[in-house]
Amino acid sequence: MSESPLVPPSSVVLVSGGSRGLGLAIVSDLVGNGVKVAAFARTVTPELTALAEKYPDQVHIGSVDVNDAKATQAFVKEVEEKLGPIDGLVNNAAIGQDSLHVHTSADQLAHIIQTNLTSPLVLTRFVLRRLLAKSLKGRIVNITSICAQRGFPGLVAYSATKGGMDSATRSLARELGGRVLANSVAPGFFASDMSAVLGQTQLDQIVRRTPTGHLTEPDEVVPVVRMLLLDNTNINGQVLVLDGAASI
Ligand SMILES: NC(=O)c1ccc[n+]([C@@H]2O[C@H](COP(=O)([O-])OP(=O)(O)OC[C@H]3O[C@@H](n4cnc5c(N)ncnc54)[C@H](OP(=O)(O)O)[C@@H]3O)[C@@H](O)[C@H]2O)c1
């Protein structure tokens, strides 16, 4: 019998930056939908610890810096021993920026690019190599940003990393030949620690420019990530923009 061309729903999903903000919302939602989830961040929060304590057989967490390749790889192996092979990856961990390009040092630029672009690609490579070696299929969701589509002052390097991830998503989808569905989800601005640097004037301006009249809510992003990981779709290599048409 020939192999089904469909990519099954992910059963073990690794979420980077799953300790707070959107990442934590994604983790909670997946756990509630019966998916085994591993999450890491540099600091494990009480909320994430509570989930791991409530669902010890379904959730595995760790304190890991995405920029420490050895530590992320050790965590991946630990997750696979505990939960089984990872067949879903959400690259969510990222740092923001709040500095004009002319005031951003070369070291700061390198750190943003390392955290938001290079390290997620290194992690993706590691997860993919293990998945493909086991002849598994899988799904990748890269959390990018509206900043990859529209310009915002103070976010030059950040925007470059998000645009880079969107481009990588398209080429991954081509390269993986349908074994792995790779997509980006690009939210508009939503309230979180990262966006706390935006002033009320900037937030009001974004809302005024948004036909739906409100900032994106993490609750509006979570179901789209879930769909890309769990539903039977042929969506591949796409950037799904979730910004209430602010950028249109
Ligand atoms: N907020 C927005 O308006 C907005 C809009 C569009 C897209 N996004 C994107 O949405 C995603 C989530 O953003 P958010 O607003 O929820 O951010 P957040 O609240 O700042 O959370 C970021 C998460 O990433 C983790 N993280 C950061 N640096 C890390 C590192 N070096 N190693 C491991 N984990 C790291 C953080 O934990 P630790 O700090 O403890 O490591 C935290 O869990 C990001 O990719 C962001 O670019 C955000």
Side-chain angles (χ1 to χ4, degrees):
M1 213 169 67
S2 64
E3 191 194 1
S4 164
L6 301 185
V7 177
S10 296
S11 52
V12 179
V13 177
L14 174 60
V15 181
S16 71
S19 64
R20 53 188 163 89
L22 178 60
L24 180 65
I26 293 169
V27 170
S28 309
D29 177 74
L30 292 173
V31 172
N33 279 279
V35 178
K36 292 182 179 173
V37 185
F40 71 85
R42 287 167 300 180
T43 304
V44 167
T45 54
E47 291 84 355
L48 189 58
T49 304
L51 266 179
E53 283 172 359
K54 190 168 174 196
Y55 301 96
D57 300 328
Q58 205 188 329
V59 177
H60 187 68
I61 61 173
S63 166
V64 178
D65 187 333
V66 75
N67 294 325
D68 182 343
K70 277 207 177 106
T72 52
Q73 292 175 8
F75 184 69
V76 164
K77 289 180 187 166
E78 201 180 288
V79 170
E80 295 199 335
E81 271 162 32
K82 182 162 177 206
L83 302 179
I86 295 169
D87 58 0
L89 172 63
V90 181
N91 280 310
N92 167 79
I95 51 171
Q97 182 184 6
D98 182 27
S99 56
L100 296 178
H101 193 56
V102 289
H103 295 152
T104 308
S105 70
D107 282 352
Q108 285 170 321
L109 279 178
H111 184 58
I112 294 167
I113 292 168
Q114 180 72 40
T115 307
N116 295 4
L117 181 63
T118 310
S119 294
L121 291 180
V122 170
L123 176 62
T124 300
R125 173 181 182 274
F126 190 69
V127 169
L128 277 174
R129 282 171 69 93
R130 296 176 74 81
L131 178 131
L132 296 172
K134 296 183 186 84
S135 299
L136 289 172
K137 294 184 175 183
R139 318 247 182 143
I140 295 172
V141 179
N142 294 320
I143 307 297
T144 62
S145 170
I146 195 58
C147 295
Q149 324 252 339
R150 288 288 178 274
F152 293 91
L155 287 165
V156 169
Y158 175 84
S159 303
T161 63
K162 295 300 184 177
M165 286 303 287
D166 282 348
S167 301
T169 298
R170 286 185 281 272
S171 293
L172 271 172
R174 280 264 158 215
E175 193 172 299
L176 291 165
R179 296 206 68 79
V180 177
L181 303 178
N183 292 288
S184 287
V185 171
F189 289 94
F190 56 86
S192 76
D193 292 345
M194 184 181 286
S195 59
V197 295
L198 293 175
Q200 198 54 47
T201 317
Q202 278 168 296
L203 292 174
D204 290 346
Q205 200 176 21
I206 294 165
V207 170
R208 269 200 310 278
R209 282 185 43 81
T210 306
T212 55
H214 65 278
L215 292 181
T216 300
E217 296 282 343
D219 280 356
E220 296 167 321
V221 181
V222 163
V224 179
V225 175
R226 184 200 315 142
M227 171 192 72
L228 293 172
L229 291 168
L230 304 184
D231 286 1
N232 217 350
T233 80
N234 201 19
I235 303 173
N236 197 13
Q238 301 303 311
V239 178
L240 305 190
V241 176
L242 311 181
D243 74 339
S247 58
I248 300 299

